[in-house]
Amino acid sequence: MTITYDDFTRVDIRVGVITRAEPFPEARKPAIKLWVDFGAEIGEKRSSAQITVHYKPEELIGRQVLAVVNFPPRQIGPVKSEVLVLGVPDAAGEVVLIGPGHDVPLGGRLF
C-alpha cells in the first residue's frame, strides 16, 4: 500500500530517553515496563516493550529511543501504555530498539 507524505506526517515519532525500566512479569509475553522522557513539551510517558531477549531493565536507563507518541493509550494488563517504542527485528525476529546515532535533544521529531 502506498501512502502520501501527509499520511506520514500524521505519525508523530519523537526521541526520548528511558528514565526508568522494570521487569513486567504480569505480561503474557516477556516484557519490560518503560518510562520515557520526551522533554518539556510531551513529558514522561509509560510503555511496555517485549525486548527481554536483548535488554535488561538496568541497561536501558539513559538510552535514547524513538517512539510514536500520538497513538491512543492502550491497556496492557495493569499497565497503561502511552507510547509505542520502536524497534526492528534481528535475524531471529527479536526486537532491537531504534534510536539516534548521536545524543539529540529530547522531543525531537523524526522527519
Side-chain angles (χ1 to χ4, degrees), residues 18-101:
I18 297 172
T19 58
R20 188 171 150 200
E22 296 177 357
F24 188 10
E26 305 91 350
R28 282 183 292 165
K29 295 182 181 178
I32 298 174
K33 293 185 272 190
L34 302 173
W35 286 258
V36 183
D37 181 7
F38 293 95
E41 181 185 345
I42 297 170
E44 187 175 77
K45 300 291 183 181
R46 290 179 52 165
S47 189
S48 168
Q50 296 173 0
I51 56 174
T52 58
V53 170
H54 292 298
Y55 306 99
K56 291 182 174 53
E58 62 274 10
E59 299 169 345
L60 292 166
I61 308 305
R63 181 186 185 101
Q64 286 192 326
V65 293
L66 291 172
V68 177
V69 298
N70 65 334
F71 282 150
R74 183 173 174 203
Q75 195 70 39
I76 301 173
V79 172
K80 183 176 278 191
S81 184
E82 301 171 297
V83 297
L84 176 64
V85 176
L86 300 175
V88 294
D90 67 8
E94 300 296 339
V95 178
V96 175
L97 294 171
I98 59 173

